[in-house]
Every structure is written in C-alpha cells, then in structure tokens.
Amino acid sequence: MPDIADRQPFEAFETLRPLSGRLSRRHWLAGAGASLTALALPPFAAAQPTEGLTADGFRLLRARPGEARLRGPTAPATPIWGYEGLAPGPTLRARQGEELKIRLVNELPQATVIHWHGLRIANAMDGVPHLTQMEVAPGASFDYRFTPPDAGTFWYHSHFLSSEQMARGLFGALIVEERAAVDVDRDVVLVLNDWRLTNAGAIERGFGNFHDAAMAGRLGQYITLNGEDSLELPVKTNERLRLRIVNTANARIFRLRIAEHVTRVMAVDGQPCPPEVVPDGVLRLAPGTRVDLFLDAALKPGSRAPILVDDLRGGELEIGHLVYGDGAPLRAQPLAAPHPLPANPLPDRFDMAGSLTIDVPLDGGGMAMMMRGGGMGGGMGGGMGAAGFRGHGLPPQDRIWALASVASSGHDGPPMFSVPRGRTVVMNFTNRSAFPHAMHVHGHHFRAFAGNGPALRPYWLDTVIVDPEHSERVVFVADNPGKWMLHCHMIEHMATGMAAWFQVT
Ligand code: C2O
Ligand code: CU
C-alpha cells in the first residue's frame, strides 16, 4: 500500500504555519469527541438495552445540571450542564437501519434542542430551532425518532444558545454499529473537548463574547478525554482497538497523536474510507469532526504511551495514556492489515454537468472588520453590521462573519439556495479571513476535491477545514428533502453570522 504521504490529496491538510517541535509536516484531517461509558463495552454490545426505556420504548435523555471532575479526581468538581447530568453525555448506541427513539427532557433553566451531527436523517428530526422544530422549553420534552442509514461515529449536541450550552457540556457520542461484526478486539470512544474554567474550576462565563466571536472562537485551557483530566486507557499487547475520536470543542482545532503507535484511519466523519496509515501519526481534527482509527497495540507488557495534543504554541500536552497490562500478550502477533469497513449507502453519482455551483466566500472577523472600516461600536451606519455585512436575524453588532456576503442566524431570511431533490451541488468555499473555519453541512455528506481538477479526496466529510487564503471545493447530491443548515462549526462564528440554510424540495 502506498504511503499516505505520497498522495496529493492529503497535501490539503498541511497547516499554514510551520509547527515546531515534535509535531511535524503532515497532519491528518479535521474532527473529534468520546465517552467513558463506552470503554467497557465490547464492540458488539446490544445496540439498545431494553431496560431503562420508557413504556413506549424511548430512551430518556435528560438535559440537566450535573458535576464533572474535569481537573482530576482530587480537585473540586465543576458544575456542568449535561445529558443525564454527564459531560460528555452517555454514549448512545444504535444499529444501522434500526430506529432510535430518544426523549429529550429539558431540566435546564433555558430552552434547548438536540442536533444529531452527521446523521443523514429526516429533516424534522435534525434539531435546528425555527428551521426544523421549535426549541424545547424548560420542563418540556421532545421525542426524536429516526433510523440512521449509515454505520459509524456520530455525535449529538445542543443547537440552541450553543456557545453557552456546548461550553457547559451538552454533547455526547452516538455510535451506529455495522450490521456485521468488525474485526477489532475493543471499541473505544474518545470524546475530546476543551473547557474554559475559572481558577475555582467553574465554567467561565462570557459565552459568545465579542472577542471570542471575532477571533478564533471560544478556546478553553483545560483539555479532557471523556471528561477526564488524564485518561488511562488499558490495553494488552497485540490487541487491536478501534478508537472513535470525536472533537466536541466549541472552536478548537486539535492536532492529536498517540506516541509510539502506528494508527490507521478507517473512517472520517462517520464514513468508511480506504484504510490509510496516518503520516507522522498526527490527526488534525476540526470541531465537530470524527475519525475512526485502528490501533494495534505493539508495545511490550507494562509499557505506557502518551496521547498528545498540540498546545497551540508549538508544544504538546499529554491528555491521557495507553497503559499496557503486565499479563501475557493477547495474541502472539498483531493482526494483519485490516480490510476496509463496509461502505455506507451514500449518493456517490455526481452529475457535474447538471450541477448547481455556488461560490461561498467566507468573510469577516477581527482583522477584516478593521479593513472594512467597521468596528465594535456597530459599524458604518445604516443597516450595516459590525463588519458591514447585510444580514438576516442578527442585530447589526452581531454580524461579525458572513457566508456569501450575508451574515445570518442560519434560520432567518431566504435560503442561500434551493434545489430539487437529486441535484448535484458544488460549493466553493474561499476563506478571505484571517482564521480557519470548519464548514459543516447538515443532512448530507460531501466529497472534497483534491485540487482544481475533477479528482476527489478518498473520503467523505460532513465538516471541512478551510484555512485562511485557501479554498475548498466540495460536491454532494442534495438527496435529503428539507431545510438544512450550513455553518461554521466554530460555534461563536456560527452565532455571529457564519451560517445559512438551504432547501431541498
Ligand atoms: Cu454539529 Cu449545526 O452542527
Ligand atoms: Cu468559522
């Protein structure tokens, strides 16, 4: 198999700024998040335990205040908001093609909704306030039921006042299991998140403040895996793990690697891809994205290997360890190179000749506002926003970012475009701002072009990083009827204009 590093398509993942130290040239991708509860589960645990269900067959998911020991077992716990009071929330497990029934019960002091990120399900279940449902008031509940068409690693999160609700902990992983067993010894969900905490360990307020919104979004100084300060992941020599990494952070792009191990990407954003060894082992994970890795535990019994992320300053932080047991290896040799995961039923016939092509420049943010003559005080006057953008559903001072020159809430105003079901759509994202953006499309997965020609990168995505002064051209078949959001997954950018919706009729 050719080394991934030889392949042109992956060049797009190189970072703009050279990284110092041990993080080197190439980085795989964009995405990340996970949950503790999954650690003990064998890969093919019953998809839906029948205990714990309501009489009418719903799994309860109560959004409510809780506590999490984010700073380690001895530091005081942090008050959070979480599904079932946990952050991350419980890992939900479903089986491909089988209906999942979830009852959201809102025990928060604010309204809320749940969005099922990456699931190509019926529009009415997509969980976007105003576009697909009304927000669920405190004390009220809402029944979500849908049948996931794709097996893979997905996640769920609040989509209302998300800058606050996600920063407080309202997210969790959703795993859709393949119909047939996958040849791994263990299935491990790793939810990667950052938290902005006060010195006393409370969630820092100031959600969606102007500074965060105009810059990189809300970044936190505490990083957790599965809500733990320093996760210890037990492994046995020659065991094969499937690591399902989910980036649930509001805005942070993580570069993650597992020291001393070869990892293979098996799926991206929930969709299987040709297995590829990660060059240098470094994954670049945008907020909202997932990567499934196979890892063969090749060290000796008794070894420890750190799980590392970049610290945004060229160094690395240890956020957990693989901890090898002292006992005998699980088997004498590691397993042979894996077969690809079974393909999902994605619409992969792109009619380029009949496609609708849309240019979507990405504009705004701190530096751009200066250049456009706007400012914090509300811009150039008239109906113009802080950065001078036309807008829908946002007061002028909140129009900091724009998609295709419009700053929108993502659910007000006319659709960015409307297409009949089955039409091929090409979107050309061009980042004219000083910050990277993670462009996410609801209800569909897309392919990204490898360059200016017709070649596609060898995987599907639901979120793509568009670096400053770069473009990403993506294509998908608009096969899912309804009203779908399209937005930056840096949540503070989404909330200040970098959002839109489109209609499939
Ligand atoms: Cu994770 Cu609008 O999405
Ligand atoms: Cu953005």
Side-chain angles (χ1 to χ4, degrees):
M1 165 173 293
D3 189 295
I4 203 168
D6 295 329
R7 292 207 184 175
Q8 176 64 22
F10 296 92
E11 297 289 341
F13 293 107
E14 288 198 346
T15 55
L16 287 173
R17 284 172 300 151
L19 284 165
S20 57
R22 287 160 294 169
L23 288 177
S24 51
R25 294 174 298 128
R26 279 168 222 278
H27 308 280
W28 232 88
L29 290 191
S35 155
L36 254 191
T37 48
L39 292 180
L41 280 178
F44 306 107
Q48 281 298 300
T50 43
E51 72 268 23
L53 299 187
T54 62
D56 50 354
F58 281 82
R59 174 165 181 160
L60 283 186
L61 209 50
R62 289 164 294 196
R64 59 178 179 81
E67 290 197 329
R69 296 211 169 263
L70 304 175
R71 297 178 301 155
T74 54
T78 297
I80 54 102
W81 291 354
Y83 298 106
E84 294 301 302
L86 304 169
T91 293
L92 304 177
R93 291 202 172 241
R95 214 183 269 281
Q96 186 174 20
E98 288 179 15
E99 190 180 49
L100 190 60
K101 294 162 75 176
I102 309 272
R103 177 162 300 150
L104 164 65
V105 180
N106 185 2
E107 297 176 9
L108 301 170
Q110 286 176 354
T112 195
V113 288
I114 301 180
H115 169 59
W116 312 94
H117 181 122
L119 290 165
R120 300 184 303 124
I121 54 178
N123 189 243
M125 296 289 113
D126 196 47
V128 174
H130 306 284
L131 213 53
T132 69
Q133 69 172 101
M134 289 311 293
E135 54 266 27
V136 181
S141 71
F142 188 89
D143 288 350
Y144 292 97
R145 48 194 300 177
F146 51 81
T147 303
D150 302 325
T153 303
F154 302 95
W155 67 298
Y156 60 100
H157 61 84
S158 164
H159 218 298
F160 184 67
L161 302 178
S162 322
S163 184
E164 171 168 3
Q165 294 193 2
M166 289 173 66
R168 288 188 184 273
L170 286 164
F171 51 79
L174 193 165
I175 305 308
V176 183
E177 288 166 0
E178 289 81 7
R179 291 189 172 95
V182 170
D183 197 13
V184 295
D185 297 306
R186 226 144 32 99
D187 188 305
V188 178
V189 179
L190 295 174
V191 175
L192 180 57
N193 197 63
D194 69 344
W195 305 85
R196 189 182 292 177
L197 302 180
T198 65
N199 290 339
I203 307 259
E204 179 87 57
R205 302 184 63 92
F207 308 107
N209 67 66
F210 179 86
H211 183 266
D212 287 344
M215 308 291 275
R218 180 183 171 103
L219 305 175
Q221 80 277 47
Y222 282 86
I223 296 169
T224 55
L225 269 181
N226 296 345
E228 290 199 37
D229 167 63
S230 186
L231 182 77
E232 305 256 295
L233 180 57
V235 295
K236 296 194 182 98
T237 297
N238 293 337
E239 189 176 20
R240 172 168 288 171
L241 304 183
R242 177 180 189 166
L243 301 177
R244 301 173 181 265
I245 305 170
V246 188
N247 181 357
T248 61
N250 279 40
R252 190 183 188 110
I253 298 175
F254 286 100
R255 292 187 180 82
L256 179 141
R257 72 183 178 101
I258 300 171
E260 297 169 63
H261 286 77
V262 173
T263 50
R264 273 195 184 85
V265 175
M266 300 297 293
V268 180
D269 285 353
Q271 304 295 355
C273 63
E276 290 280 3
V277 170
V278 184
D280 296 338
V282 180
L283 294 169
R284 188 179 183 214
L285 299 164
T289 57
R290 292 85 63 210
V291 170
D292 288 43
L293 296 177
F294 279 10
L295 176 144
D296 292 306
L299 304 186
K300 291 195 192 65
S303 308
R304 280 170 72 82
I307 303 172
L308 301 151
V309 292
D310 69 297
D311 66 0
L312 303 175
R313 290 185 290 265
E316 289 183 302
L317 300 168
E318 289 186 358
I319 57 168
H321 287 87
L322 300 190
V323 181
Y324 280 70
D326 287 321
L330 187 68
R331 56 177 65 83
Q333 308 270 343
L335 294 173
H339 297 296
L341 294 168
N344 284 322
L346 288 151
D348 57 359
R349 299 228 181 109
F350 303 125
D351 170 17
M352 295 304 294
S355 67
L356 173 70
T357 296
I358 306 175
D359 283 321
V360 187
L362 315 179
D363 288 304
M367 328 274 181
M369 275 186 283
M370 315 273 204
M371 291 187 294
R372 291 173 69 103
M376 293 186 60
M380 300 174 70
M384 305 292 262
F389 299 120
R390 288 186 293 132
H392 298 296
L394 292 174
Q397 69 274 12
D398 287 352
R399 296 180 199 159
I400 297 171
W401 298 94
L403 287 181
S405 305
V406 177
S408 169
S409 65
H411 52 74
D412 292 291
M416 177 184 274
F417 60 91
S418 181
V419 279
R421 184 177 188 183
R423 181 124 188 234
T424 296
V425 175
V426 174
M427 279 196 280
N428 190 16
F429 298 112
T430 303
N431 186 348
R432 306 194 291 200
S433 80
F435 295 89
H437 301 289
M439 297 310 304
H440 172 50
V441 176
H442 281 218
H444 299 78
H445 276 70
F446 52 79
R447 299 287 294 269
F449 286 92
N452 292 329
L456 299 172
R457 289 187 222 150
Y459 44 83
W460 294 81
L461 298 165
D462 63 36
T463 305
V464 64
I465 296 181
V466 190
D467 279 311
E469 292 168 59
H470 278 63
S471 293
E472 291 289 346
R473 203 158 44 102
V474 307
V475 59
F476 63 98
V477 178
D479 67 339
N480 200 348
K483 298 176 173 182
W484 302 104
M485 247 183 120
L486 153 70
H487 63 85
C488 178
H489 221 287
M490 277 79 175
I491 297 300
E492 291 69 32
H493 296 174
M494 172 183 79
T496 52
M498 197 166 265
W501 65 281
F502 65 96
Q503 185 149 31
V504 183
T505 56

